[in-house]
Amino acid sequence: MNDLKDNDKLYRYLFQNRAVRGEWVRLNQSFVDTLNTHHYSQPVQNLLGEMMVATALLTATLKFEGNITVQIQGDGPLSLALVNGNDQQQIRALARVEGDISPEMMLHEMVGKGVLVITIAPKEGERYQGVIGLDKPTITECLEDYFVRSEQLQTQLIIRTGEYQGKPVAAGMLLQIMPDGAGSPEDFEHLATLAATAKNEELFGLPAEEMLYRLYHEEAVEVYAPQVIQFFCGCSAERSGAALLLIPDEEIDEILEEHKGSIDMQCECCGTHYFFNKEAINKLKSPVQAE
């Protein structure tokens, strides 16, 4: 039975005698909320789930206030897949599909010639962007390669997507040798071998601590308090109105006429509709000044 208390949670843990750290995450309602307003094919749905898990795990490795964006851009039928997360573990995702995607399509077939872009934007400090070639079969392998190249740290990612109790679920684990240099490659390989034995039903259905005990019952594992993960879009009427004002007046008038006096600005991420008529647009152009 799925342990509800650990749905949409991220746990960090530390192997006290191995100088290796880990993370475990499971996305349930946050994943469902992401998919609710879209009709993605199964391969796209799975890819977004993998990217959402990866983003949550990436965010947890960084000690900063800000956000991370993980996106895939390509010239294939899947032109864009994007996930944005922040230090509060608020997450959102979307995909743009411009062609047919069959159930058996692999990553390179969906994306075509493309790249994986990771953008780290702290509230304070410099923005960082890493661009990774999609030359591995899966997003997981591409991200492991990113860690090795960018941080020179041994890293293992296990990411799974599927269904549990009739609902979409995405879950994953991250293992990483500590950056202080105290960890040994042998210790890391030992723990990574154990992690690789995790079954889907364990990742999708067990409480975090029970699963960690099954994998590492001979290890001293310190588990920290979890973070709650939630879908959060951040769109608003104000943001939609600001975007509308970037359109030339003549084009706005044409759209109003074509759509019977009302412009529907639908959020691409969560599907919320914001409607603007001529009067509302005029108010946006001439905001009332506070006395």
Side-chain angles (χ1 to χ4, degrees), residues 155-214:
T155 302
Q156 180 196 44
L157 279 172
I158 296 171
I159 301 177
R160 311 271 174 81
T161 62
E163 278 197 0
Y164 190 83
Q165 297 182 340
K167 292 185 178 181
V169 61
M173 302 172 68
L174 177 145
L175 279 182
Q176 193 170 68
I177 199 163
M178 294 294 285
D180 59 9
S184 75
E186 293 76 19
D187 282 349
F188 177 84
E189 292 298 336
H190 168 69
L191 297 173
T193 299
L194 294 175
T197 67
K199 300 178 177 65
N200 282 12
E201 57 265 29
E202 293 173 325
L203 282 164
F204 296 162
L206 290 180
E209 293 196 14
E210 182 178 340
M211 187 181 147
L212 291 174
Y213 179 78
R214 285 195 185 189

Side-chain angles (χ1 to χ4, degrees), residues 18-285:
R18 300 279 191 180
V20 174
R21 62 189 178 189
E23 298 168 16
W24 174 95
V25 66
R26 183 163 67 217
L27 307 179
N28 298 81
Q29 192 59 47
S30 53
F31 190 26
V32 171
D33 289 344
T34 298
L35 302 174
N36 262 347
T37 56
H38 302 280
H39 300 285
Y40 297 126
S41 62
Q42 195 64 48
V44 175
Q45 179 175 308
N46 290 343
L47 179 61
L48 282 180
E50 291 170 14
M51 291 175 66
M52 289 176 70
V53 168
T55 301
L57 294 171
L58 279 167
T59 304
T61 66
L62 302 173
K63 304 291 187 264
F64 73 95
E65 292 185 3
N67 64 76
I68 293 178
T69 300
V70 177
Q71 63 181 310
I72 289 175
Q73 304 166 350
D75 61 4
L78 179 67
S79 61
L80 175 72
L82 181 147
V83 178
N84 178 261
N86 62 25
D87 58 288
Q88 300 301 307
Q89 288 299 349
Q90 296 171 325
I91 198 164
R92 60 178 181 165
L94 65 90
R96 290 183 190 149
V97 180
E98 299 173 356
D100 294 329
I101 294 179
S102 59
E104 67 278 358
M105 271 192 173
M106 303 297 288
L107 177 64
H108 70 278
E109 295 173 307
M110 289 193 290
V111 177
K113 185 179 180 182
V115 292
L116 174 67
V117 182
I118 297 176
T119 305
I120 299 171
K123 289 181 180 178
E124 297 181 6
E126 293 186 8
R127 183 172 175 268
Y128 165 83
Q129 190 169 80
V131 180
I132 308 154
L134 292 173
D135 51 2
K136 305 286 184 184
T138 67
I139 189 75
T140 301
E141 291 169 282
C142 293
L143 285 167
E144 284 182 336
D145 196 44
Y146 160 78
F147 273 110
V148 171
R149 292 185 187 184
S150 66
E151 300 187 33
Q152 287 82 51
L153 293 176
Q154 282 182 285
T155 302
Q156 180 196 44
L157 279 172
I158 296 171
I159 301 177
R160 311 271 174 81
T161 62
E163 278 197 0
Y164 190 83
Q165 297 182 340
K167 292 185 178 181
V169 61
M173 302 172 68
L174 177 145
L175 279 182
Q176 193 170 68
I177 199 163
M178 294 294 285
D180 59 9
S184 75
E186 293 76 19
D187 282 349
F188 177 84
E189 292 298 336
H190 168 69
L191 297 173
T193 299
L194 294 175
T197 67
K199 300 178 177 65
N200 282 12
E201 57 265 29
E202 293 173 325
L203 282 164
F204 296 162
L206 290 180
E209 293 196 14
E210 182 178 340
M211 187 181 147
L212 291 174
Y213 179 78
R214 285 195 185 189
L215 293 175
Y216 304 118
H217 56 274
E218 295 182 354
E219 301 292 333
V221 184
E222 183 177 359
V223 181
Y224 301 103
Q227 275 188 291
V228 175
I229 298 176
Q230 60 181 336
F231 173 80
F232 177 77
C233 180
C235 69
S236 65
E238 291 75 18
R239 289 188 178 187
S240 294
L244 194 59
L245 292 182
L246 299 175
I247 302 173
D249 290 347
E250 299 79 12
E251 191 173 335
I252 287 180
D253 290 338
E254 289 176 10
I255 298 172
L256 283 169
E257 185 175 351
E258 183 180 347
H259 293 86
K260 301 180 180 179
S262 179
I263 296 178
D264 178 4
M265 298 283 285
Q266 183 180 16
C267 175
E268 190 176 11
C269 184
C270 71
T272 301
H273 292 265
Y274 299 98
F275 296 95
F276 298 88
N277 57 20
K278 185 69 172 177
E279 181 183 359
I281 293 169
N282 287 337
K283 284 184 178 179
L284 289 173
K285 292 178 181 176

